[in-house]
């Protein structure tokens, strides 16, 4: 069973609004960043599963990356996301890191829900 509450930070909408005010990013930029991050997360997890890292991907999607491999995978994913946001959207590193910290838990919850829905079919 996937526990979505482990992914979603407390007061996520308030944090997102505060981040948007602080960074002076427009709504269109935030939507584009969300799209880039969702595509990157999906592709990254797909590549990991193709390499045979099923158990590690499952840990990350369940919100419990407790093993060294799970923690490493999550850190690698964060690094990839920050790099993509800097390259594709031209964001400064501090903004890219902030977006990843706020949006990654929500995107992981969404991807985990989609995966669970696919397996139920």
């Amino acid at each position: 069973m996937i526990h979505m509450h482990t992914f979603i930070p407390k007061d996520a909408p308030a944090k997102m609004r505060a981040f948007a005010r602080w960074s002076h990013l427009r709504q269109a930029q935030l939507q584009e960043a969300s799209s880039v991050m969702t595509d990157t997360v999906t592709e990254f997890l797909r590549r990991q599963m193709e390499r045979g890292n099923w158990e590690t991907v499952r840990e990350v999607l369940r919100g419990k990356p407790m093993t060294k491999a799970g923690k490493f995978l999550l850190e690698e994913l964060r690094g990839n996301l920050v790099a993509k946001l800097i390259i594709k959207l031209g964001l400064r590193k501090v903004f890219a890191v902030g977006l990843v910290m706020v949006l990654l838990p929500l995107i992981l919850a969404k991807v985990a829900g989609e995966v669970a829905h696919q397996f139920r079919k």
Side-chain angles (χ1 to χ4, degrees):
M1 179 174 186
I2 298 174
H3 302 284
M4 294 300 168
H5 68 277
T6 58
F7 284 113
I8 301 173
K10 293 180 176 143
D11 301 326
K15 287 182 180 179
M16 194 62 201
R17 283 190 301 273
F19 178 79
R21 278 193 309 272
W22 173 73
S23 65
H24 300 289
L25 293 175
R26 295 182 316 271
Q27 184 66 31
Q29 289 173 309
L30 293 173
Q31 288 173 343
E32 187 176 355
S34 176
S35 175
V36 166
M37 287 179 65
T38 302
D39 294 343
T40 302
V41 167
T42 304
E43 185 59 34
F44 180 83
L45 294 177
R46 182 177 295 125
R47 275 194 321 263
Q48 292 302 319
M49 288 190 293
E50 288 172 356
R51 292 178 185 165
N53 296 333
W54 291 89
E55 190 65 33
T56 308
V57 169
R58 189 180 71 136
E59 285 179 13
V60 171
L61 287 178
R62 292 180 96 185
K64 298 181 180 189
M66 302 304 280
T67 63
K68 285 185 179 182
K71 290 177 184 177
F72 177 76
L73 185 76
L74 190 59
E75 288 301 317
E76 188 176 345
L77 178 58
R78 286 179 183 149
N80 284 350
L81 287 170
V82 169
K84 283 269 179 136
L85 290 175
I86 290 171
I87 292 169
K88 287 197 173 204
L89 302 179
L91 295 178
R92 289 194 285 170
K93 186 175 182 179
V94 68
F95 295 150
V97 170
L99 271 174
V100 169
M101 290 297 142
V102 173
L103 289 180
L104 182 59
L106 300 172
I107 291 171
L108 283 175
K110 179 183 173 187
V111 170
E114 289 173 2
V115 168
H117 181 70
Q118 289 294 328
F119 280 118
R120 288 183 186 142
K121 283 186 173 182

